[in-house]
């Protein structure tokens, strides 16, 4: 049943994107997000934008981190809100898309969760740790492990840190990379997993309560809103950011993310 659900969501997303007109009015935006709590947050901004600016936002939910930038570059959507700047920097370095950031949203602290251990110091030698497999979030997870002194890495500013760049691993941790949405589902099968908040919350995991290791509130990984470079100065995107930064959205973020979302603007 779960597979059918994800198939239907993916099919709906494909149909919406495929049918989306390339040219839209100055009062219409197709906005890509990752399916989950952040999509619920955008629903609130959608209402604010309609009421205050007469702006019509169509929300296009995606199931992975690749398609939202691909669809934006192709003109099938007009903006996306799902990633942080380090991830976008890696995409732009590889793909050369003409995309730019127009504003910051919230920081969702990344945390390590475990069904087997309640304290970080209880992790055994040889523990299996699952982390996201996309480059920027893999690097983010490895930095978190390094900050906790579980591993040592030579360059903390390397945006594309990978497990093979670990030069000291005193507990011989086994790092398993996998797709970010799968991480909450494998908690029973690994010793611990490092999970993004947008996937932890729907799985019933509250960072401040359940994480055995958590990013500080000064994390640089704020989610951002991205558009094509040619569109960055259009009035409707300024209105979009005002709606996203509205008190209604901030209040909704506190509720949806159990007070774990930190405004970064």
């Amino acid at each position: 049943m779960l597979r059918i659900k994800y198939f239907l969501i993916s099919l709906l997303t494909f149909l919406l994107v495929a049918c989306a007109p390339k040219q839209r009015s100055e009062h219409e935006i197709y906005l890509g997000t990752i399916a989950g709590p952040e999509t619920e947050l955008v629903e609130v901004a959608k209402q604010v934008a309609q009421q205050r600016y007469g702006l019509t936002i169509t929300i296009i939910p995606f199931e992975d981190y690749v398609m939202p930038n691909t669809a934006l570059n192709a003109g099938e959507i007009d903006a996306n809100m799902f990633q942080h700047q380090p991830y976008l920097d890696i995409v732009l370095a590889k793909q050369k898309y003409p995309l730019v950031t127009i504003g910051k949203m919230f920081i969702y602290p990344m945390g390590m969760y475990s069904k087997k251990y309640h304290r970080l110091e209880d992790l055994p030698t040889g523990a299996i740790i699952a982390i996201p497999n996309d480059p920027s979030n893999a690097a983010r997870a490895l930095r978190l492990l390094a900050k906790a002194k579980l591993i040592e890495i030579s360059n903390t500013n390397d945006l594309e840190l990978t497990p093979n760049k670990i030069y000291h691993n005193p507990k011989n941790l086994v790092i398993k990379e996998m797709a970010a949405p799968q991480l909450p589902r494998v908690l029973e099968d690994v010793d611990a997993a490092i999970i993004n908040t947008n996937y932890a919350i729907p799985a019933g995991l509250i960072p401040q309560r359940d994480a055995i290791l958590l990013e500080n509130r000064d994390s640089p990984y704020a989610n951002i809103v991205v558009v094509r470079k040619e569109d960055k100065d259009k009035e409707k995107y300024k209105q979009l950011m005002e709606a996203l930064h509205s008190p209604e959205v901030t209040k909704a973020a506190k509720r949806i993310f159990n007070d774990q979302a930190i405004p970064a603007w």
Side-chain angles (χ1 to χ4, degrees):
M1 189 69 183
L2 186 60
R3 290 182 179 178
I4 294 174
K5 174 185 174 184
Y6 282 120
F7 171 77
L8 291 174
I9 291 174
S10 298
L11 179 61
L12 176 61
T13 298
F14 171 80
L15 291 173
L16 283 170
V17 172
C19 297
K22 294 293 183 80
Q23 298 295 325
R24 282 175 276 279
S25 78
E26 285 307 304
H27 300 285
E28 185 180 17
I29 295 174
Y30 274 45
L31 176 62
T33 67
I34 294 296
E38 198 159 58
T39 299
E40 185 179 348
L41 191 63
V42 177
E43 289 283 359
V44 178
K46 174 180 176 177
Q47 295 175 13
V48 173
Q50 179 64 55
Q51 293 168 359
R52 294 187 185 171
Y53 308 112
L55 193 62
T56 299
I57 297 176
T58 299
I59 301 169
I60 309 295
F62 292 87
E63 290 293 330
D64 64 65
Y65 287 152
V66 176
M67 283 305 299
N69 283 324
T70 302
L72 178 58
N73 178 65
E76 304 295 357
I77 60 174
D78 307 306
N80 66 44
M81 189 185 89
F82 76 100
Q83 63 195 320
H84 44 62
Q85 193 65 48
Y87 178 80
L88 179 62
D89 289 343
I90 291 172
V91 171
L92 298 187
K94 292 180 177 180
Q95 302 294 341
K96 310 301 181 184
Y97 292 154
L99 308 180
V100 295
T101 300
I102 59 170
K104 294 181 179 180
M105 286 301 296
F106 296 93
I107 297 168
Y108 306 107
M110 177 179 271
M112 178 191 283
Y113 302 86
S114 176
K115 294 289 187 180
K116 301 176 181 178
Y117 306 102
H118 299 293
R119 299 183 306 166
L120 193 63
E121 52 267 34
D122 293 336
L123 284 174
T125 298
I128 298 174
I129 311 296
I131 68 171
N133 65 356
D134 61 281
S136 66
N137 279 309
R140 182 179 181 181
L142 292 171
R143 282 196 197 91
L144 185 60
L145 291 173
K147 192 169 185 178
K149 302 189 184 304
L150 291 172
I151 61 171
E152 291 183 36
I153 51 182
S154 59
N155 181 7
T156 57
N157 294 319
D158 185 350
L159 291 178
E160 295 190 80
L161 282 173
T162 58
N164 62 13
K165 293 183 179 180
I166 298 171
Y167 76 84
H168 187 45
N169 185 356
K171 300 193 81 165
N172 293 315
L173 300 177
V174 179
I175 309 298
K176 297 286 189 181
E177 296 180 275
M178 57 187 64
Q182 296 178 6
L183 292 170
R185 303 173 209 158
V186 302
L187 272 178
E188 300 286 351
D189 304 316
V190 298
D191 293 296
I194 298 180
I195 306 174
N196 297 78
T197 295
N198 61 310
Y199 292 119
I201 294 291
L205 301 169
I206 299 177
Q208 295 290 346
R209 182 192 70 193
D210 300 317
I212 60 174
L213 176 63
L214 191 65
E215 284 180 330
N216 292 335
R217 287 181 170 260
D218 61 355
S219 167
Y221 291 94
N223 270 27
I224 54 177
V225 181
V226 179
V227 302
R228 290 181 296 278
K229 188 177 295 185
E230 65 196 64
D231 295 331
K232 67 182 179 67
D233 294 322
K234 289 184 176 179
E235 183 65 22
K236 65 179 178 180
Y237 297 113
K238 296 176 184 177
Q239 294 171 345
L240 171 64
M241 290 310 307
E242 289 174 5
L244 288 168
H245 289 170
S246 66
E248 293 92 334
V249 170
T250 301
K251 182 179 179 180
K254 290 174 69 69
R255 171 181 55 81
I256 295 168
F257 290 94
N258 289 294
D259 207 22
Q260 304 300 309
I262 305 166
W265 64 91

